[in-house]
Amino acid sequence: MRSSDTSGAGGQPPPAPALLPPGVTDPAGLATELERAGYLADDGLATAAYLTLALRRPLLLEGDAGVGKTAVAHALADVLGAPLIRLQCYEGLDASQALYDWNFPAQVLHLRAAEAAGRGEGDAAALEDELYDRRFLVARPILQALETSPSVLLIDEVDRADDEFEALLLEVLSDVTITVPELGTIRATQPPVVVLTSNRTREVHDALKRRCYYHWVEHPSFEREVAIVRLRLPDVGERLAREVTSAVHVLRDQDLLKPPGVAETLDWTQALVALGADHLDADRAAATLGSVLKFREDQERVRSIDVGQLVIRAAAGG
């Protein structure tokens, strides 16, 4: 979609209207909708998500891996009934992979078809215009989100991308536009809801943070994590959910390379259920450590402190 410049004062785009689910007027209402979508948000996160939708500002979520940052975007997409468009960041990510690229094979085929049709040099200018028609433009995630209204754009693990990509992202988030030299400016009719996540492997630049509403996602409390397990895995019994959650909380207190997150709590519970367990015991805990600890050094450390004692402490805590 091409558009002329409709920027507001100071060259900035006019603020977008709030995008809230029907009937939601406060963070508590949004928390209820998120819970229906399978996500238990605490007051801080519910407020951050509500302001993101009400003020139409990008939401930057930082926290340890596995605490549920990515799942927030999935839940918001469910609540809004909007498609989730995900951009997974990595070192070396550039504009052609994040914004758009030209379909070179299709352009070559078009040239060959023109030659076969006997189009001569007099058609060169027209043919060149045809080569850079919108049909040959491949929309990557950010352009897809701008052209899909409404949508939720998840920019996952932005801390893994390079500084150059952050600079590119700043421009897109500021103007909510993409300029394709051959086509012109593409502006979203309704800006996407943008959720960025970071595991803080490096610091995200202040300029990017200033454009976002920021929230640090903590590991949940014991009772909240038990509730998450019961919500996401409704067939799991109360005893198993509490014992696994308690064991995970004990593991987080150890000096591990990668403390387990909520994702690992769910994985471990599912593994035990698949083995027919209705409670946590030492043998099954030792056999299924690969569900919760993903480094050999962490598994060896836990075995050295006695998995049996871990289970006893978990049962006492549960």
Side-chain angles (χ1 to χ4, degrees):
M1 69 192 76
R2 302 184 209 184
S3 70
S4 59
D5 185 9
T6 57
S7 299
Q12 294 297 315
L19 180 62
L20 291 165
V24 171
T25 59
D26 57 22
L30 182 59
T32 299
E33 293 300 315
L34 290 172
E35 183 174 351
R36 288 174 181 161
Y39 193 97
L40 282 178
D42 60 23
D43 292 342
L45 182 53
T47 300
Y50 177 83
L51 291 175
T52 290
L53 300 180
L55 303 179
R56 300 306 297 271
R57 293 189 66 185
L59 174 62
L60 173 59
L61 300 174
E62 281 196 328
D64 295 333
V67 294
K69 302 184 297 296
T70 298
V72 173
H74 286 270
L76 284 175
D78 285 346
V79 165
L80 296 172
L84 176 74
I85 300 173
R86 178 176 180 172
L87 174 62
Q88 177 63 51
C89 297
Y90 53 87
E91 187 176 353
L93 179 67
D94 62 21
S96 66
Q97 297 151 327
L99 302 182
Y100 67 88
D101 200 2
W102 290 103
N103 188 339
F104 180 71
Q107 289 172 317
V108 171
L109 287 174
H110 185 73
L111 281 175
R112 291 177 177 171
E115 290 174 359
R119 295 178 62 178
E121 293 184 1
D123 292 330
L127 187 56
E128 183 176 353
D129 287 341
E130 292 172 12
L131 286 177
Y132 292 102
D133 186 76
R134 181 62 183 82
R135 60 183 164 143
F136 295 121
L137 190 70
V138 180
R140 302 302 186 193
I142 293 179
L143 179 55
Q144 289 175 23
L146 262 62
E147 293 188 318
T148 305
S149 178
S151 65
V152 176
L153 172 61
L154 169 61
I155 302 175
D156 216 5
E157 298 183 320
V158 68
D159 53 316
R160 296 185 181 275
D162 301 323
D163 292 347
E164 292 78 6
F165 176 72
E166 271 197 45
L168 174 71
L169 200 54
L170 279 172
E171 182 179 354
V172 173
L173 293 181
S174 296
D175 300 334
V176 202
T177 63
I178 292 176
T179 299
V180 182
E182 298 85 355
L183 292 178
T185 299
I186 300 174
R187 183 185 301 279
T189 55
Q190 181 174 312
V193 175
V194 181
V195 178
L196 303 95
T197 73
S198 167
N199 295 333
R200 210 171 182 182
T201 58
R202 69 168 177 84
E203 286 293 337
V204 176
H205 290 183
D206 289 344
L208 181 58
K209 286 186 175 181
R210 282 197 300 270
R211 284 162 174 78
C212 302
Y213 190 96
Y214 176 87
H215 185 75
W216 176 267
V217 184
E218 299 277 2
H219 287 286
S221 66
F222 174 77
E223 293 296 340
R224 180 171 291 277
E225 193 158 356
V226 171
I228 291 171
V229 173
R230 298 300 306 278
L231 178 65
R232 298 290 297 275
L233 306 173
D235 294 333
V236 172
E238 176 77 13
R239 178 182 176 183
L240 181 61
R242 297 184 73 86
E243 289 183 354
V244 172
T245 301
S246 181
V248 169
H249 279 244
V250 172
L251 290 174
R252 287 179 190 150
D253 291 335
Q254 308 304 313
D255 186 20
L256 302 178
L257 294 174
K258 169 59 174 69
V262 178
E264 283 73 34
T265 305
L266 295 169
D267 287 347
W268 201 8
T269 305
Q270 287 180 304
L272 290 165
V273 169
L275 294 175
D278 60 2
H279 68 281
L280 189 64
D281 62 65
D283 290 340
R284 285 197 176 109
T288 56
L289 279 179
S291 297
V292 68
L293 301 175
K294 307 302 173 71
F295 286 88
R296 179 176 61 86
E297 294 86 348
D298 287 347
Q299 292 189 12
E300 289 178 349
R301 174 168 177 74
V302 170
R303 289 192 174 100
S304 72
I305 63 174
D306 189 345
V307 176
Q309 288 299 316
L310 169 69
V311 172
I312 290 172
R313 291 173 62 184

